[in-house]
């Protein structure tokens, strides 16, 4: 917010979303992810604390805290999927945490296979971590078209199906006659992954093993992410074995919630894991629009 020659920036009291302060020459910048600072060649100064209000003017920066101090509940999904791996959020490198997710997943759920591939781009780093820990070679078996957006936010199923075909293609020379581990960061509806499994098999893979670097998503997000409702979340309605059959893959394993929590840095405070546990750490107000009916069940 800007008033006259002053700019105010504030982070939510529970620190659900990341916010960072940067500087270049005499100019200050407030960004969600530090990759935005790299773009303009500004340097990261520090994270803005939960409940902190900054007043930025030509005289410098003043820091205030609003409301009572509250427990931190940083969104753990930022590390899994939302944030870019070339960013620092919550005072940690996303790349480092995402690799660790892949390594923990490999320890929990190895696979008898020949190669590891990722669902690009958001799963690349976790797949590298999985590959390092298992000694299975990491290969580029799926190529992503960068000219279409994320598929789970398309409102209609028909459009989502079409955009998956436009978005990904297989590298047949990599996949032919191979037992393939596909590392995916998360499964929301499962429709994208089902089509990808089919594409990978059409490319000649002899087996497809899915490994997911997050636990099953069973509940919607009420803290700012445009997740589908509970009815549309596949893991809310099916067991892991039912999802495996739906995807038509040889095996399907998710990272455990314990493994997830073991892989993130906790020095700065706790994390929200509500979409995996159904336990919401911050009370949900009545004014929640389209999700109201789910709370009333
Ligand atoms: S519910 Fe999930 S996506 Fe929403 S803030 Fe919590 S961890 Fe993040």
């Amino acid at each position: 917010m800007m008033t006259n020659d002053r700019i105010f920036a504030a982070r939510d009291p529970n620190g659900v979303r990341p916010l960072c302060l940067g500087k270049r020459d005499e100019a200050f910048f407030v960004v969600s992810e530090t990759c935005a600072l790299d773009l303009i060649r500004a340097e990261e100064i520090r994270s803005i604390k939960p409940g902190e209000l900054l007043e930025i003017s030509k005289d410098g920066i003043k820091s205030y805290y609003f409301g009572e101090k509250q427990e931190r509940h940083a969104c753990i999904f930022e590390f899994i999927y939302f944030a870019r791996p070339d960013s620092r959020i919550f005072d940690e490198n996303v790349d480092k945490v995402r690799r660790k997710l892949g390594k923990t997943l490999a320890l929990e759920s190895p696979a008898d296979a020949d190669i590891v591939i990722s669902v690009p781009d958001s799963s690349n780093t976790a797949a590298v971590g999985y590959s390092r820990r298992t000694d299975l070679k990491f290969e580029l078996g799926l190529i992503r078209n960068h000219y279409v957006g994320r598929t789970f936010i398309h409102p209609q199923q028909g459009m989502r199906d079409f955009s998956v075909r436009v978005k990904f293609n297989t590298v047949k020379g990599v996949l032919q006659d191979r037992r393939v581990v596909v590392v995916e960061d998360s499964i929301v509806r499962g429709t994208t992954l089902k089509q990808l499994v089919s594409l990978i098999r059409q490319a000649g893979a002899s087996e497809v093993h899915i490994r997911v670097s997050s636990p099953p998503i069973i509940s919607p997000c009420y803290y700012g992410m445009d997740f589908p409702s509970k009815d549309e979340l596949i893991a809310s309605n099916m067991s892991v074995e039912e999802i495996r059959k739906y995807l038509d893959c040889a095996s399907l394993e998710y990272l455990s919630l314990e493994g997830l929590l073991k892989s993130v840095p906790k020095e700065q405070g706790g994390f929200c894991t509500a979409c995996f546990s159904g336990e919401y750490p911050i009370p949900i107000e009545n004014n929640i629009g389209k999700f109201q009916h789910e709370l009333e069940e």
Side-chain angles (χ1 to χ4, degrees):
M1 184 175 78
M2 186 165 182
T3 62
N4 300 329
D5 57 347
R6 285 174 155 66
I7 291 176
F8 294 91
R11 184 160 168 215
D12 64 278
N14 296 103
V16 176
R17 298 291 150 215
L19 202 62
C20 178
L21 178 67
K23 189 176 185 214
R24 179 180 167 185
D25 302 324
E26 297 308 307
F28 290 98
F29 300 89
V30 175
V31 296
S32 296
E33 297 184 32
T34 58
C35 63
L37 296 175
D38 299 338
L39 199 66
I40 51 176
R41 283 178 284 146
E43 63 170 317
E44 177 190 356
I45 298 178
R46 66 174 176 86
S47 268
I48 298 172
K49 306 288 179 208
E52 185 178 10
L53 172 73
L54 293 183
E55 179 185 355
I56 304 169
S57 70
K58 61 179 176 358
D59 300 325
I61 293 183
K62 287 182 186 161
S63 167
Y64 310 92
Y65 285 86
F66 55 95
E68 289 184 9
K69 189 168 169 34
Q70 297 186 33
E71 214 178 320
R72 193 192 81 161
H73 299 293
C75 171
I76 209 161
F77 221 114
E78 294 277 357
F79 278 129
I80 295 164
Y81 171 74
F82 295 127
R84 278 176 38 162
D86 50 341
S87 278
R88 275 174 64 77
I89 59 164
F90 307 136
D91 295 304
E92 187 55 277
N93 293 330
V94 177
D95 167 82
K96 184 177 164 190
V97 176
R98 217 165 268 176
R99 271 172 202 253
K100 200 161 175 197
L101 294 175
K103 287 180 180 174
T104 310
L105 178 64
L107 281 175
E108 289 185 351
S109 303
D112 198 8
D114 301 313
I115 57 168
V116 178
I117 68 169
S118 69
V119 178
D121 293 319
S122 56
S123 307
N124 289 351
T125 313
V128 169
Y130 190 98
S131 158
R132 292 270 166 85
R133 188 48 61 93
T134 55
D135 287 335
L136 292 176
K137 202 170 168 194
F138 175 68
E139 296 274 12
L140 297 175
L142 282 172
I143 301 299
R144 185 178 164 210
N145 175 350
H146 288 265
Y147 296 93
V148 289
R150 290 177 176 178
T151 49
F152 88 84
I153 54 176
H154 272 304
Q156 291 170 336
Q157 187 60 47
M159 277 302 291
R160 280 196 297 272
D161 292 347
F162 177 69
S163 65
V164 170
R165 288 198 302 277
V166 173
K167 190 169 168 181
F168 296 102
N169 200 8
T170 49
V171 183
K172 294 177 184 60
V174 167
L175 300 169
Q176 183 84 46
D177 299 326
R178 299 283 181 84
R179 296 170 302 165
V180 180
V181 174
V182 182
V183 175
E184 172 65 299
D185 52 74
S186 53
I187 305 179
V188 180
R189 294 182 178 87
T191 47
T192 301
L193 195 52
K194 185 176 173 61
Q195 286 189 51
L196 288 179
V197 171
S198 171
L199 281 175
I200 292 165
R201 288 155 69 96
Q202 284 167 32
S206 55
E207 290 175 13
V208 181
H209 301 269
I210 305 292
R211 295 292 180 269
V212 188
S213 60
S214 64
I217 302 172
I218 56 168
S219 293
C221 178
Y222 297 100
Y223 306 139
M225 284 304 164
D226 187 17
F227 262 38
S229 65
K230 202 171 173 95
D231 287 349
E232 296 174 278
L233 294 170
I234 190 167
S236 177
N237 303 298
M238 289 188 196
S239 68
V240 173
E241 176 56 15
E242 285 169 337
I243 298 171
R244 186 199 67 75
K245 284 185 182 153
Y246 168 76
L247 295 174
D248 197 17
C249 57
S251 71
L252 166 68
E253 303 284 352
Y254 287 85
L255 183 66
S256 69
L257 188 53
E258 297 73 34
L260 172 60
L261 288 168
K262 212 165 62 185
S263 306
V264 295
K266 294 180 205 65
E267 297 79 24
Q268 306 295 327
F271 286 90
C272 172
T273 59
C275 45
F276 307 116
S277 64
E279 292 167 16
Y280 292 89
I282 308 162
I284 303 161
E285 303 295 332
N286 285 335
N287 182 20
I288 53 170
K290 62 179 176 172
F291 297 125
Q292 179 76 46
H293 67 284
E294 292 182 0
L295 288 178
E296 290 170 348
E297 280 174 2

